[in-house]
């Protein structure tokens, strides 16, 4: 419990750091939000007035504290381009991203784990080679490549699944695979090598010397131990999936947070971009926290410290 | 030795087929253990003593393989058994304890459960509750204090000595005819070592169980063994009853080992060592593997492999010097 509280405390620090970073970066990159917002024809007076209205004339530190204090109350500002509260926009887009992420994670974890374990058991045999080839493809192909490949094969050539996503379950299958393939590959490789590693451990000999069958040795003794590094990996994969979602959502035109972020970048929509980054950071940190807690459930040696 | 044997190994060859060549880890080992006997298998690291034991338990890992030879347990041939048949014997009729009690127990399972598992796997009809009771009784017998509480401990919560007691409890719980102990006390400190050895000796007497104890420590051999096999580079080079071996070591290697035991009262600045190192098992020559390090080696030693020759009844050695002396 103490662990959880201290982790939550450090989470606040990380969040403030992330906001500071994005704040500074947005003000360093070329492109003035005011001029972008105004389009082609505008007078200097309009610029000044708008700059003042958007609080952009204040010192950066003041803007920062203004933002932080409002963010704590759930007010992430108003989007420059969409003229609506950022919080509202995010909450509206979040279900799509959540569905995509959950399906991607489900795909990555189940397929990754199963193929990793099967590969380890059938080490160097045909099934192992097959699974490892697929995982290698997943790890090496960037998401935009695998997404286009999947779209081409399943939607365009064989017409099995819709090309773009409306948000329905079926239309989410392709995006979820595109998003999860990379992680599935990583997880498959890690769980395979971890399981093979654990099978070399002394306590596996003990279990076999006890008279347990190969199956029982793997299920009862090897699997739980081999999952320890995999769990950490899975949590890290969750973070990389959040960034993958940005690309996937753009390719499949899913109205999620990722697409919101891309739009925000293109329009220099600072409040919207800050909001989406902040929101994603919270998700990633929570994911890592869950992984740590899960880790201590699996490993009694860590449980002590919690 | 009487005719009824618990373990009988004949001309066992276990080799590792590596990329660099075939490593003959066990190269024609013969070994016998009678009922209730404590037998020591002594040798340096890498001489194949652990592999001999692992061959019995079917624990030789890829790329290793039992090439030929016979292993009989209670008269039953073990080589050629299917994995399933062998597993049903392991833990039941023959069990093994390992060198490292720190790593030999599964870190994520409670120790009681790990021992209980051994009961359940060989006795399908027993209830979990009865199995648990058996485990706690066994814990008490191997001298684990507060067995009820210890049952729910994880390995990292126990000391090295306690963990090795848990290992012994696990090995003993199905009352095996033969216990193989692979360097059971190497990782423990000396006071705990004595306790563990005494415990094994006591359990052996109580249950008429035979023990094969693998060690590089002649002190342990002197303390608890009835009979000793000395192994070098994959072969048995000498075997004899323990007192006979200590009084009349015949093989130059055994004599070298004896001389290497530090003794209080002798010149403390000088420790005897056997010169040279164990030969690489990848490139074993024709002759005696010890020839290169042997004080008494003659030309013949590096060309021909000496046969096992009886020095006395129950005492044999693989060396030309003895056979020559015997014939002359």
């Amino acid at each position: 419990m103490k662990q959880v509280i201290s982790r939550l405390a450090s989470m606040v620090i990380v969040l403030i750091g992330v906001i500071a970073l994005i704040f500074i970066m947005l003000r360093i990159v070329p492109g003035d939000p005011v001029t972008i917002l105004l389009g082609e024809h505008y007078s200097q007076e309009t610029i000044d007035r708008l700059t003042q209205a958007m609080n952009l004339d204040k010192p950066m530190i003041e803007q920062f504290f203004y933002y932080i204090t409002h963010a704590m109350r759930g007010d992430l500002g108003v989007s420059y381009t969409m003229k609506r509260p950022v919080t509202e926009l995010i909450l509206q887009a979040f279900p799509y991203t959540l569905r995509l992420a959950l399906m991607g994670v489900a795909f990555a974890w189940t397929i990754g784990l199963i193929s990793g374990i099967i590969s380890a058991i059938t080490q160097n045999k045909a099934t192992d080679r097959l699974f490892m080839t697929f995982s290698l493809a997943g790890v090496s192909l960037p998401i935009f490549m695998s997404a286009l490949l999947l779209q081409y094969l399943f939607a365009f050539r064989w017409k099995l699944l819709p090309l773009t996503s409306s948000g329905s379950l079926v239309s989410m299958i392709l995006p979820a695979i595109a998003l999860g393939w990379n992680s599935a590959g990583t997880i498959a490789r890690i769980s395979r090598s971890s399981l093979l590693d654990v099978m070399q451990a002394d306590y596996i000999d003990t279990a076999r010397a006890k008279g347990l069958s190969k199956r029982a040795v793997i299920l009862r003794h090897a699997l739980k131990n081999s999952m320890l590094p995999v769990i950490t990996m899975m949590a890290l994969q969750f973070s990389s999936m959040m960034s993958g979602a940005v690309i996937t959502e753009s390719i499949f035109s899913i109205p999620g947070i990722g697409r919101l972020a891309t739009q925000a970048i293109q329009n220099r929509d600072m409040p919207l971009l800050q909001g989406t980054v902040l929101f994603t950071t919270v998700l990633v940190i929570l994911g890592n926290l869950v992984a740590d807690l899960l880790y201590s459930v699996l490993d009694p040696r860590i449980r002590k410290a919690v | 030795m009487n005719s009824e044997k618990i373990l009988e190994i004949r001309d066992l060859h276990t080799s590792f087929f590596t990329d660099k060549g075939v490593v003959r880890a066990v190269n024609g080992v013969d070994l016998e253990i009678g009922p209730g006997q404590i037998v020591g298998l002594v040798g340096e690291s890498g001489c194949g003593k652990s592999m001999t034991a692992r061959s019995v338990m079917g624990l030789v890992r890829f790329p290793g393989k039992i090439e030929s030879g016979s292993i009989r347990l209670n008269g039953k041939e073990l080589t050629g058994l299917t994995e399933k048949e062998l597993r049903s014997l392991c833990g039941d009729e023959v069990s093994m304890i390992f060198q490292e009690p720190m790593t030999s127990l599964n870190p994520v399972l409670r120790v009681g459960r790990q021992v209980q598992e051994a009961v359940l796997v060989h006795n399908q009809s027993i209830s979990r509750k009865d199995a648990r009771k058996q485990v706690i009784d066994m814990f008490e017998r191997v001298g684990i204090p507060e067995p009820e509480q210890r049952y729910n401990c994880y390995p990292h919560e126990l000391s090295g000595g306690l963990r090795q007691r848990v290992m012994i409890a696990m090995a003993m719980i199905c009352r095996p005819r033969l216990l193989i102990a692979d360097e059971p006390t190497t990782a423990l400190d000396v006071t705990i070592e004595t306790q563990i050895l005494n415990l094994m000796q006591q359990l052996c007497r109580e249950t008429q169980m035979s023990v094969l104890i693998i060690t590089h420590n002649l002190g342990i051999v002197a303390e608890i063994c009835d009979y000793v096999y000395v192994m070098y580079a994959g072969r048995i080079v000498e075997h004899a009853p323990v007192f006979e071996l200590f009084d009349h070591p015949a093989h130059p290697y055994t004599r070298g080992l004896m001389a290497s035991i530090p003794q209080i009262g002798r010149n403390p600045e000088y420790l005897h060592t056997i010169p040279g190192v164990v030969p690489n098992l990848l490139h074993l020559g024709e002759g005696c593997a010890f020839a290169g390090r042997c004080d008494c080696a003659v030309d013949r030693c590096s060309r021909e492999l000496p046969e096992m020759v009886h020095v006395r009844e129950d005492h044999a050695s693989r060396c030309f010097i003895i056979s020559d002396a015997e014939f002359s």
Side-chain angles (χ1 to χ4, degrees), chain A residues 28-297:
Chain A
I28 291 173
V29 290
D32 176 17
V34 177
T35 41
I36 290 178
L37 204 60
L38 286 173
E40 283 181 32
H41 307 286
Y42 47 83
S43 65
Q44 185 59 40
E45 196 197 341
T46 333
I47 294 182
D48 290 344
R49 220 181 46 228
L50 201 56
T51 310
Q52 208 174 3
M54 287 158 81
N55 276 329
L56 289 173
D57 56 337
K58 307 252 169 62
M60 205 203 277
I61 194 91
E62 201 174 308
Q63 292 181 36
F64 183 66
F65 278 106
Y66 181 85
Y67 183 75
I68 295 261
T69 46
H70 279 76
M72 278 177 189
R73 280 176 259 147
D75 173 15
L76 297 173
V78 177
S79 162
Y80 293 164
T81 42
M82 299 186 204
K83 315 277 189 251
R84 284 171 59 200
V86 171
T87 320
E88 195 188 302
L89 288 169
I90 287 177
L91 288 180
Q92 202 173 28
F94 183 55
Y96 293 98
T97 306
L98 185 67
R99 193 175 299 164
L100 174 65
L102 285 182
M103 284 177 71
V105 162
F107 173 80
W109 290 0
T110 48
I111 300 294
L113 275 182
I114 290 172
S115 55
I117 291 164
I118 293 176
S119 286
I121 295 170
T122 61
Q123 190 192 1
N124 296 329
K125 298 213 179 85
T127 40
D128 178 25
R129 298 253 156 78
L130 184 76
F131 279 130
M132 282 305 113
T133 312
F134 266 101
S135 80
L136 185 67
V139 173
S140 351
L141 282 176
I143 289 187
F144 61 85
M145 270 295 289
S146 51
L148 291 176
L149 188 72
L150 289 169
Q151 272 184 331
Y152 176 72
L153 290 178
F154 289 93
F156 182 72
R157 281 296 284 275
W158 301 328
K159 306 211 185 316
L160 291 170
L161 292 161
L163 190 61
T164 57
S165 180
S166 58
S168 72
L169 223 52
V170 176
S171 69
M172 280 285 191
I173 292 177
L174 273 189
I177 294 176
L179 179 61
W181 193 359
N182 185 297
S183 300
T186 316
I187 290 168
R189 300 196 146 244
I190 301 269
S191 52
R192 175 182 184 268
S193 67
S194 174
L195 187 56
L196 287 176
D197 217 40
V198 165
M199 289 302 283
Q200 299 292 321
D202 289 347
Y203 53 81
I204 297 298
D205 283 337
T206 311
R208 295 186 67 204
K210 228 187 284 186
L212 293 185
S213 66
K214 193 181 175 191
R215 205 182 123 100
V217 169
I218 291 173
L219 288 180
R220 268 184 258 166
H221 287 268
L223 220 49
K224 201 173 166 190
N225 280 292
S226 70
M227 280 308 111
L228 297 176
V230 181
I231 297 279
T232 339
M233 201 57 222
M234 283 167 139
L236 294 176
Q237 290 300 317
F238 182 72
S239 336
S240 79
M241 270 202 191
M242 290 315 293
S243 61
V246 176
I247 303 164
T248 318
E249 283 175 8
S250 304
I251 293 179
F252 290 93
S253 52
I254 301 168
I257 294 194
R259 218 171 55 149
L260 222 50
T262 359
Q263 284 169 0
I265 293 170
Q266 281 159 3
N267 300 328
R268 297 294 185 279
D269 192 338
M270 287 196 221
L272 187 57
L273 189 52
Q274 278 158 199
T276 49
V277 170
L278 187 63
F279 191 75
T280 323
T281 312
V282 173
L283 287 184
V284 168
I285 294 177
L286 283 178
N288 286 344
L289 183 64
V290 169
D292 275 3
L293 294 178
L294 207 58
Y295 208 98
S296 65
V297 169

Side-chain angles (χ1 to χ4, degrees), chain A residues 6-31:
Chain A
S6 76
R7 285 297 299 268
L8 286 174
S10 69
M11 179 173 157
V12 174
I13 299 173
V14 171
L15 276 180
I16 293 176
V18 168
I19 300 172
L21 261 178
I22 190 80
F23 223 80
I24 295 165
M25 268 169 13
L26 275 177
R27 278 149 185 84
I28 291 173
V29 290

Side-chain angles (χ1 to χ4, degrees), chain B residues 126-246:
Chain B
I126 195 168
S127 74
R128 286 188 169 265
K129 208 176 142 200
D130 288 347
R132 184 191 151 95
K133 202 177 164 299
Q134 264 191 36
V135 172
I136 289 170
D137 288 348
M138 196 69 214
F139 273 6
E140 197 148 21
R141 256 183 97 189
V142 298
I144 296 176
E146 301 175 330
E148 297 263 355
Q149 283 92 308
R150 294 286 180 274
Y151 185 93
N152 286 324
C153 282
Y154 286 98
H156 69 277
E157 297 169 325
L158 302 178
S159 67
L162 275 185
R163 287 186 217 188
Q164 200 60 299
R165 282 175 199 269
V166 170
M167 285 299 290
I168 293 174
M170 188 191 293
M172 299 282 303
I173 194 130
C174 291
R175 302 178 169 276
R177 299 292 308 275
L178 172 67
L179 173 69
I180 300 177
D182 188 357
E183 309 237 11
T185 58
T186 306
L188 305 176
D189 58 49
V190 189
T191 46
I192 309 294
E193 173 172 75
T194 318
Q195 290 173 13
I196 295 287
L197 290 177
N198 289 342
L199 171 69
M200 283 174 53
Q201 204 168 19
Q202 175 207 335
L203 290 171
C204 173
R205 276 202 210 103
E206 284 170 15
T207 58
Q208 273 299 298
M209 168 183 73
S210 309
V211 178
L212 174 63
I213 183 160
I214 296 169
T215 179
H216 59 261
N217 185 341
L218 286 170
I220 293 179
V221 172
E223 211 168 313
I224 69 166
C225 292
D226 304 317
Y227 200 88
V228 193
Y229 285 82
V230 181
M231 202 166 172
Y232 187 78
R235 290 196 180 92
I236 301 287
V237 291
E238 182 161 11
H239 60 86
V242 65
F243 291 117
E244 167 78 17
L245 188 89
F246 275 86

Side-chain angles (χ1 to χ4, degrees), chain B residues 24-151:
Chain B
R24 305 196 185 284
V26 180
N27 201 352
V29 162
D30 295 293
L31 192 149
E32 291 177 346
I33 301 175
Q37 215 179 17
I38 302 185
V39 173
L41 180 57
V42 192
E44 285 168 81
S45 310
C47 72
K49 44 194 202 305
S50 288
M51 269 312 142
T52 309
R54 289 176 153 267
S55 302
V56 176
M57 301 296 290
L59 291 178
V60 180
R61 284 175 184 228
F62 182 84
K65 207 178 118 190
I66 298 178
E67 274 191 287
S68 63
S70 130
I71 302 169
R72 296 174 90 85
L73 182 72
N74 287 325
K76 189 173 181 182
E77 181 62 49
L78 297 188
T79 55
L81 284 189
T82 62
E83 170 74 15
K84 205 176 163 192
E85 289 167 327
L86 189 59
R87 284 301 139 235
S88 71
L89 293 176
C90 284
D92 196 22
E93 285 188 42
V94 53
S95 56
M96 184 161 175
I97 53 183
F98 298 88
Q99 178 173 358
E100 270 290 343
M102 303 293 163
T103 53
S104 299
L105 288 166
N106 190 334
V108 301
L109 295 178
R110 295 176 198 280
V111 291
R113 291 296 296 278
Q114 296 190 48
V115 180
Q116 186 195 36
E117 207 173 35
V119 183
L120 294 173
V121 72
H122 295 293
N123 189 350
Q124 258 91 27
S125 58
I126 195 168
S127 74
R128 286 188 169 265
K129 208 176 142 200
D130 288 347
R132 184 191 151 95
K133 202 177 164 299
Q134 264 191 36
V135 172
I136 289 170
D137 288 348
M138 196 69 214
F139 273 6
E140 197 148 21
R141 256 183 97 189
V142 298
I144 296 176
E146 301 175 330
E148 297 263 355
Q149 283 92 308
R150 294 286 180 274
Y151 185 93

Side-chain angles (χ1 to χ4, degrees), chain B residues 218 249 251-261 272-274 290:
Chain B
L218 286 170
H251 197 280
Y253 177 63
T254 317
R255 282 185 293 200
L257 283 183
M258 302 276 174
S260 306
I261 305 175
H272 183 271
T273 51
I274 305 175
F290 190 59

